[in-house]
Amino acid sequence: MPEQLDAALPEVARARMAEIRASQTWGSALTTQEFAAIAGAGFDPVGQVLGTAVFHIGYAGRWGCSGAWSYFGGTEVSSSAYAPFSQLVRTMYGARRLALARAISECKALGGDGIVGVKLRVGHFPAGGMEFTALGTAVRARSKTRPATPFTSHLTGQEFAKLLHGGWVPTGLVLGISIATRHDDWRTYGQLRWTAGNQEVDGYTQLINHARHDARHQLQLDAKAHGGDGIVVDEMELRIRERECPSYENQRDHIAEASFVGTSVARFDRRPGGSGLKPLTILTLNRER
């Protein structure tokens, strides 16, 4: 069975999984407190897992600016049909999910039920392109019941234990990404003049609102696809940039990129009248406390 699971992994990852199984010694990215919390919740670490993918980012979905139509106002979001940057956002989703899928494959090869403390990172690859990585610790429950697919979660060991003790389980790491673009219209130019005084630049307000709203909506859709009842958000990021329009002199597009990362969670049933799980006890190793 492990050999069949290893077939989906790169050669170097297969060798590492085989070495871990042969040595029966697991590694992790857990702190002492996280290890104690996970063990107290009925789980054991089975190994550190890593998924990585390097992507070349070429065509982003729009060569020119947002166009003359938006000179009269309007914001385009990447989730709309034929919108600018829609192809780029699909690539960003695909790269992250590929790295995460490879980490899940390593988790399966180690006999794990899920991954805790997942860290998604994106960085420039020295030879060109972008490197996407997913790093975490695979864990296995002390139970006869095994999930059909390993869960993924950004939660720390303590947070994971608290979630279980509260009657919730993680169902998957979820993403929400959106890129909104808006051309500087005549009203925006007027509000930016030094003679305009102190006032809201409503075009820019609409730009960031559209980006954040669409990213949150995509996050909710991803959580629903994972069977979650709710979302525990880990990271929220908003980046703004501008670019000159090659077709229109002295005119600019403003671009807002919003992204959310979190864990979808679902409530599990408890026996009627039961008191639930016992409180988790954590002892500090610091003698001064």
Side-chain angles (χ1 to χ4, degrees):
M1 184 65 176
E3 290 73 15
Q4 295 177 352
L5 295 173
D6 285 355
L9 297 172
E11 181 179 353
V12 65
R14 291 199 299 270
R16 189 166 65 87
M17 295 300 101
E19 182 180 356
I20 293 174
R21 290 195 296 266
S23 66
Q24 297 183 345
T25 302
W26 51 264
S28 80
L30 303 173
T31 64
T32 304
Q33 291 85 354
E34 286 183 293
F35 171 70
I38 288 174
F43 281 77
D44 295 310
V46 293
Q48 191 180 89
V49 293
L50 171 69
T52 185
V54 177
F55 272 63
H56 169 66
I57 308 299
Y59 176 59
R62 171 62 64 85
W63 293 116
C65 63
S66 292
W69 74 269
S70 57
Y71 185 72
F72 300 99
T75 301
E76 298 176 281
V77 293
S78 53
S79 62
S80 302
Y82 309 110
F85 302 108
S86 57
Q87 183 173 332
L88 174 62
V89 169
R90 286 195 295 269
T91 301
M92 293 165 65
Y93 273 121
R96 287 170 170 84
R97 286 169 175 161
L98 179 59
L100 193 59
R102 287 172 175 166
I104 293 173
S105 294
E106 290 195 0
C107 176
K108 289 181 179 179
L110 293 174
D113 295 321
I115 310 173
V116 298
V118 176
K119 294 181 176 62
L120 287 177
R121 295 291 180 263
V122 182
H124 291 280
F125 191 70
M130 303 293 292
E131 181 183 11
F132 298 80
T133 60
L135 174 68
T137 299
V139 297
R140 181 179 175 85
R142 301 187 208 110
S143 169
K144 295 181 179 180
T145 304
R146 306 259 76 85
T149 303
F151 65 83
T152 52
S153 170
H154 77 273
L155 300 172
T156 65
Q158 295 95 322
E159 293 168 342
F160 175 68
K162 288 180 180 178
L163 191 74
L164 293 178
H165 287 186
W168 297 82
V169 291
T171 60
L173 198 75
V174 291
L175 306 170
I177 305 172
S178 179
I179 299 179
T181 179
R182 183 183 179 92
H183 193 74
D184 281 350
D185 56 20
W186 63 271
R187 182 177 175 83
T188 302
Y189 282 118
Q191 292 171 335
L192 291 173
R193 292 195 181 103
W194 69 273
T195 56
N198 299 332
Q199 62 175 308
E200 179 187 15
V201 184
D202 52 12
Y204 294 165
T205 300
Q206 292 175 21
L207 174 68
I208 61 175
N209 279 341
H210 276 81
R212 284 176 169 151
H213 174 78
D214 187 48
R216 285 195 299 267
H217 180 63
Q218 302 307 316
L219 185 74
Q220 291 172 345
L221 292 178
D222 202 13
K224 184 177 180 180
H226 281 82
D229 297 320
I231 308 166
V232 180
V233 175
D234 176 37
E235 297 179 7
M236 296 180 289
E237 185 178 6
L238 177 69
R239 293 186 294 175
I240 308 293
R241 67 181 189 272
E242 65 178 39
R243 62 177 178 179
E244 298 291 333
C245 293
S247 304
Y248 303 93
E249 187 176 357
N250 297 324
Q251 294 186 22
R252 298 170 298 175
D253 275 350
H254 277 86
I255 301 163
E257 179 180 333
S259 61
F260 289 79
V261 178
T263 297
S264 65
V265 296
R267 181 173 290 279
F268 63 83
D269 294 331
R270 290 180 170 183
R271 286 180 291 181
S275 59
L277 296 173
K278 295 181 179 179
L280 174 66
T281 300
I282 301 177
L283 299 178
T284 178
L285 299 180
N286 189 340
R287 295 182 178 180
E288 297 179 357
R289 295 184 180 181

